Amino acid sequence: LAQAYPETNKNCGIQVVPIDEEYTDRAIGSGKPQTLLILLGVVLAVLLIACVHVANLLIAKAAAREQEIAVRAALGAHRVRIVRQLLTESVLLAACGGLLGLLLAHVGIEVLSAARTRSIPWYVGSGGGGGAIPWFVDVHVDARMLLYVLGLSLLTCVLFGVLPAIGAAGIDVSRRLSTSRTWTAGARFRRLRSSLVIADIALAFVLLAGAGLLVNSYMRILRIDPRLNPRNVLTACVAFDWQRPPEPQQRLAIFQEALRRVRSLPGVQAVTASGYYSPTTGSFSTPSFQIEGRESTGEGVGIPCTEVFPGYFDLLQIPLLHGRSFTGHDDKTTPCVIVINEAMARRFWPNDDPVGKHIMDAAKSDSPPRMYEIVGVVGNVWHARYGLDEPELYAPYLQGGYPPEVFLMIRTSSDPAALSAAVRRELTAVAEGAAVDHIVPLEGEIAALFASERTNMVFLAAFAAAALLLASVGVYGTTAYAVSWRTHEIGIRMALGARRADVIRTVLGHSLRLTLGGILLGLTGALMVTRVISSLLHGVSPVDPLTFVCVSLLLAGAALLATYLPARRAASIDPMAAVSATPAPVIPPKNMLATTFTWASPPFR
């Protein structure tokens, strides 16, 4: 068609998109399918943290069972059989966890399904989205999900249960049976457990950094000034069939009568309307214009245009900067006029007053181009499609072609939602045969524009909180386990003069060193990973230093809190009871005296 009719079809084409991709783009709101992949990556990261945490616990359990395993090996149990026994225990643990997770998933799906029904777009194709869950997909627990959960449980069991099992099966039987407690428990498992704790903290740091960036981005979105007053404004759409609409004059009479009847309702202060779309979603109408006094390139300038009824700027409290707004006299019997926004005035008339200037229709046709006089300049209004500082113009609806769809804006003296039923009744009565819907407060409509950002933020923040909890539990478990193994050693140190503050400082120092290592490793990973979510951020850098500092302090504080209880418990050990108990040192005896005197040197001074 563009080749056959270049005069009218130039620059017009068709974009073929698979329907599933189109629906996915609409569902996630941002139009970027990688949002779902990012959320999937977040889920897998939390799963990895949980697996690392469980592996840490399994290593601790294997260390505590060394003598039992040594006895089994001495009685003839083969190494493969020991590994098989430990893996069987891990499989049972993973299966129970998977079934519990499946139950929680069922409950969570029900909650999400109930929540997303409140954010379903008012018409198919809305950019408002409703978050990362497509509104048209019926998500439920079925056989495929059951198999997926069981398979994932077995996979995590094999990946993170084999290492502790192999390590436990490879102990030195003769050496283990020759002592009452293992001397090598700390030396053999301490480095591995510490490495897992560092990995835990690093992964938690990455997730917390991503969640912090999204929260910061969403807070900036909430602070966006739409440059209009949506408070106590109710919107309503009246749309006739575009294929078989009433005659233009009949449509105009119906819409004017609708405005009159709604204006007479109790509690209504003012009523106006615009063609096609509401003020926050922007207009798809982008005609081409030639600017008076500028050199013509033959192509024209595409400028978004919205046709509005009189009183539009007053009702939405859009400031009039120069000239005048539209009146009821701006109809087909008078010369064509337009009102432009401040951004358009700055772009095309930076050093001059645009009021009184003219633009003309650049569409090529047999009829002469239509000339429009600029009669006013209004402030910029934020639009979901092209932001805040983009050129925009307004034309009187009464001078246009009377589109068969209008958006009513109704300012009320109280809660606008209370008038929804009355407005629907009046519009249905006067616009017989038209679709009357989208009767929602304008404030809610603006909030719905950011439903996908809000959903992404909530999801990532929830998973980041889970990661923080798991990392804190990991630090607590590692510290508590180390304290339990060093009870005898700590008792000797305190008997030799170590103070409670020295014991607490030593325990806290060890945990904080692990935390610092995890934070540094996580910072390196976050600097690379957070760039992936840059498409989801608004006004926030993916390497925002403030976010990274806050996350570091949060992790350090959580680790400090998780370490304090084991440290306090270690400082409360009775030296006499600990020394008289069966020793359980974690270092060879030949180094015990030197280590004790080195550690306890301050009291001896």
Side-chain angles (χ1 to χ4, degrees):
L1 292 176
Q3 295 175 1
Y5 306 98
E7 292 296 322
T8 57
N9 287 55
K10 187 178 181 180
N11 298 327
C12 293
I14 296 175
Q15 181 181 9
V16 181
V17 181
I19 193 170
D20 56 344
E21 294 183 9
E22 176 71 7
Y23 278 142
T24 301
D25 286 355
R26 292 172 177 176
I28 62 179
S30 60
K32 302 180 183 300
Q34 64 264 30
T35 305
L36 298 175
L37 298 179
I38 291 173
L39 291 178
L40 178 61
V42 170
V43 174
L44 293 178
V46 175
L47 174 64
L48 182 61
I49 292 175
C51 291
V52 168
H53 182 58
V54 171
N56 213 338
L57 295 178
L58 291 177
I59 291 174
K61 182 180 179 182
R65 296 177 61 184
E66 276 195 347
Q67 186 155 2
E68 171 201 342
I69 295 173
V71 172
R72 292 178 182 272
L75 293 177
H78 194 269
R79 183 174 182 177
V80 174
R81 185 170 182 177
I82 295 176
V83 171
R84 187 174 59 191
Q85 175 189 343
L86 296 178
L87 278 180
T88 302
E89 298 175 1
S90 298
V91 166
L92 291 176
L93 180 66
C96 293
L99 292 177
L100 179 59
L102 194 64
L103 177 62
L104 294 177
H106 175 71
V107 176
I109 288 174
E110 294 298 325
V111 173
L112 290 176
S113 297
R116 70 176 178 170
T117 56
R118 297 193 294 269
S119 59
I120 291 178
W122 64 273
Y123 69 97
V124 177
S126 167
I133 303 177
W135 59 268
F136 52 85
V137 175
D138 182 20
V139 184
H140 58 278
V141 178
D142 55 11
R144 290 180 300 173
M145 185 174 179
L146 179 61
L147 292 176
Y148 167 77
V149 170
L150 292 179
L152 193 62
S153 300
L154 293 177
L155 178 63
T156 55
C157 167
V158 171
L159 291 180
F160 296 93
V162 169
L163 184 62
I166 294 178
I171 63 175
D172 187 343
V173 177
S174 60
R175 185 179 182 184
R176 183 63 190 87
L177 292 178
S178 63
T179 58
S180 59
R181 297 280 300 271
T182 178
W183 297 100
T184 62
R188 187 153 62 138
F189 292 116
R190 182 169 51 199
R191 285 191 297 270
L192 181 57
R193 287 173 54 83
S194 298
S195 300
L196 292 178
V197 171
I198 292 175
D200 245 350
I201 296 174
L203 288 171
F205 185 96
V206 173
L207 290 184
L208 285 170
L213 291 174
L214 280 182
V215 171
N216 191 359
S217 174
Y218 186 68
M219 297 307 295
R220 289 174 182 265
I221 289 176
L222 292 181
R223 289 196 295 267
I224 290 178
D225 183 8
R227 304 293 178 88
L228 52 82
N229 183 10
R231 186 176 180 82
N232 291 340
V233 175
L234 186 69
T235 65
C237 177
V238 180
F240 287 100
D241 187 352
W242 282 74
Q243 301 298 326
R244 296 180 300 275
E247 293 299 323
Q249 291 297 332
Q250 185 181 0
R251 292 198 300 266
L252 177 60
I254 291 175
F255 293 146
Q256 288 179 328
E257 177 64 14
L259 292 175
R260 187 192 66 81
R261 297 183 66 161
V262 172
R263 189 179 294 112
S264 64
L265 291 175
V268 174
Q269 295 179 339
V271 179
T272 188
S274 65
Y276 298 113
Y277 296 94
S278 67
T280 54
T281 58
S283 174
F284 286 105
S285 176
T286 310
S288 296
F289 296 94
Q290 295 288 352
I291 308 299
E292 183 184 36
R294 295 174 61 91
E295 183 179 353
S296 174
T297 60
E299 295 292 335
V301 180
I303 303 175
C305 177
T306 304
E307 295 182 346
V308 301
F309 280 79
Y312 181 86
F313 305 113
D314 293 335
L315 185 142
L316 294 177
Q317 299 180 12
I318 301 174
L320 179 65
L321 306 179
H322 302 286
R324 68 173 179 89
S325 59
F326 301 132
T327 68
H329 298 292
D330 295 318
D331 55 19
K332 290 184 179 296
T333 63
T334 59
C336 297
V337 295
I338 59 169
V339 170
I340 66 174
N341 70 344
E342 186 179 7
M344 185 172 175
R346 285 200 308 265
R347 176 172 298 185
F348 298 110
W349 298 276
N351 301 316
D352 199 359
D353 186 0
V355 175
K357 300 295 191 297
H358 294 81
I359 66 174
M360 65 186 67
D361 193 348
K364 295 179 180 180
S365 61
D366 296 334
S367 59
R370 178 181 294 184
M371 186 74 68
Y372 300 87
E373 179 185 355
I374 301 174
V375 297
V377 179
V378 296
N380 298 331
V381 175
W382 183 87
H383 287 260
R385 297 190 177 276
Y386 46 84
L388 179 65
D389 296 319
E390 289 295 322
E392 181 182 10
L393 58 85
Y394 303 88
Y397 185 91
L398 302 180
Q399 289 184 343
Y402 308 148
E405 178 179 354
V406 297
F407 261 88
L408 274 69
M409 269 70 73
I410 307 157
R411 181 166 293 281
T412 66
S413 58
S414 58
D415 182 15
L419 287 175
S420 298
V423 169
R424 181 182 296 275
R425 182 179 63 252
E426 296 296 334
L427 295 179
T428 303
V430 70
E432 187 175 352
V436 178
D437 57 7
H438 191 50
I439 304 179
V440 295
L442 184 56
E443 284 184 301
E445 183 185 4
I446 294 176
L449 293 174
F450 309 112
S452 60
E453 287 83 358
R454 183 171 59 251
T455 302
N456 297 334
M457 181 200 68
V458 170
F459 272 131
L460 190 53
F463 287 123
L468 177 63
L469 178 62
L470 288 173
S472 302
V473 171
V475 172
Y476 173 82
T478 300
T479 306
Y481 177 79
V483 168
S484 66
W485 272 97
R486 298 177 64 183
T487 299
H488 188 75
E489 171 197 348
I490 292 173
I492 294 178
R493 295 178 187 274
M494 296 184 70
L496 293 175
R499 296 166 298 182
R500 291 188 56 178
D502 298 325
V503 175
I504 293 177
R505 184 171 58 249
T506 301
V507 176
L508 290 179
H510 173 70
S511 296
L512 290 181
R513 283 194 295 273
L514 296 181
T515 304
L516 180 60
I519 290 176
L520 294 178
L521 182 61
L523 178 62
T524 304
L527 291 175
M528 298 181 294
V529 174
T530 52
R531 299 182 185 274
V532 178
I533 66 172
S534 59
S535 61
L536 306 180
L537 302 178
H538 299 269
V540 179
S541 170
V543 291
D544 181 50
L546 179 61
T547 301
F548 288 165
V549 170
C550 292
V551 169
S552 301
L553 294 177
L554 179 61
L555 269 176
L560 185 65
L561 183 62
T563 307
Y564 178 72
L565 291 178
R568 184 177 178 180
R569 188 180 304 118
S572 302
I573 292 175
D574 184 358
M576 298 306 299
V579 170
S580 62
T582 303
V586 296
I587 52 177
K590 61 183 179 181
N591 294 334
M592 174 61 73
L593 188 60
T595 303
T596 301
F597 276 18
T598 300
W599 189 90
S601 55
F604 282 105
R605 290 197 189 101

